[in-house]
Amino acid sequence: MSAIYLDHAATTPLDPEVRAAILPWLGELFGNPSSAHGYGRRARAAVDDARDRVAAAAGCASREVVFTSGGTEADNLALRGVLERWGAERGRHLVVSAIEHEAVLATARELAEAGRADLTVVDCDRQGRIDPAAVASAVRPDTVLVSVMLANNEVGTVQDVPAIAASVRARNPRSLVHTDAVQALGRLPLGLGTLGVDLLSLSAHKAYGPQGVGALVAGHGVFPAAQITGGGQERERRSGTENVAGVVGFGAAAELARRRQETDAAELSRLAGWLTDLLTESVPGLEATGDPAVRLPGLCSFVVRGCRSELLLAVLDELGVCASAGSACSSGAPVPSHVLAAMGFGDLAGSALRLSLGRSTTGADVQAAAERVQVAVARVRGGGGIAAPIR
Ligand code: PLP
């Protein structure tokens, strides 16, 4: 039985074009961009070119892109760096949503526990939507930063970030706004201006680029304080010899993301809608989660009554479906979802199933995956057969 990879929200395969762009930088092109000789100058040009491509995909100026080791570091740089740079002047109050990725949520909590920030966590509704008015009412005169993600990685809900940013600014024009757009690159239109935010986090490996590289986009004049100091790379904003191969790959992936976003999004939404319909109609006790209307293209998420995530995922793995619960600790084991808990799913937070589609997913994959999920659910519930005939 051939494996069906439906975990693109965890990571995507490297696009062949991206791989081809990277390979020379793992071989004959090995210069340090800070070296003045030809090898160095060539590496510098490649990094600059990748920066232009990422900027074009993120809808910002090239000088606003700071390369990092990924989305987690970008989120850390946004929260820690803004607090350090602007806290004394504007205040130390942070506002984040309850359904942020741990890169934001755990960082905000750690800052609060260490006494370096005051923290307000804003709740969501049952669909995982954050009300802009609720965010605005959390904003205080000393709010330095508000962080609300663009698209949720577990349930796919897309927030109205422009409305959130506008409501924050109406309440306190000095508060900065950050959005974690890690899941959105190549799936949703991006842009500092169109989203109305000051800072935006990206990660290459969610968009067919390599793992271990990402970026924080920091709008003109925002400049979070560097959290990694040393040689002053990235205009003093993030030291360390650049990951040239990774950055080149990120540039190639960003270029593809920009070119293909509209067509990819349309196809991913179509296939994900189909898979969601197949499963909700044929598996009793399975409920789709997240906002049914405004969703991250390609992300299907459910709770499945009577199925613990870890068991269901193990059976699916046996049946050749690579899926996830949406959240995993570094050991890979699912942990009850803080996102579903915030959405009010109670005990069902331990029964999550996420199927995230990608560029290579076909209609045949969707059909086969739906059949295998039915078998897996029945097996976990002890029935052993197909839960209901598939149409
Ligand atoms: N933010 C979101 C929404 C994510 O989905 C992820 C990855 O799962 C991250 C941040 C972290 O990105 P990275 O894996 O590049 O550190």
Side-chain angles (χ1 to χ4, degrees), residues 25-52:
W25 297 97
L26 299 173
E28 67 277 16
L29 300 176
F30 55 84
N32 182 330
S34 297
S35 300
H37 49 62
Y39 279 86
R41 287 197 308 273
R42 205 154 166 192
R44 167 64 55 214
V47 169
D48 288 347
D49 178 57
R51 196 184 307 281
D52 292 345

Side-chain angles (χ1 to χ4, degrees), residues 9-10 69-73 75 100-104 149 151-153 180-183 201-206 212-214 354:
S69 64
T72 301
E73 190 192 326
D75 287 342
E100 294 301 303
H101 187 274
E102 292 293 357
V104 167
M149 71 201 314
N152 184 267
N153 50 301
D180 176 335
V182 162
Q183 291 288 340
S201 299
L202 296 173
S203 176
H205 75 104
K206 308 289 184 177
V213 59
R354 180 184 73 185

Side-chain angles (χ1 to χ4, degrees), residues 309-311 313 325-329 331-336:
S309 296
E310 57 272 29
L311 266 179
L313 295 177
S327 58
C329 66
S331 71
V335 288

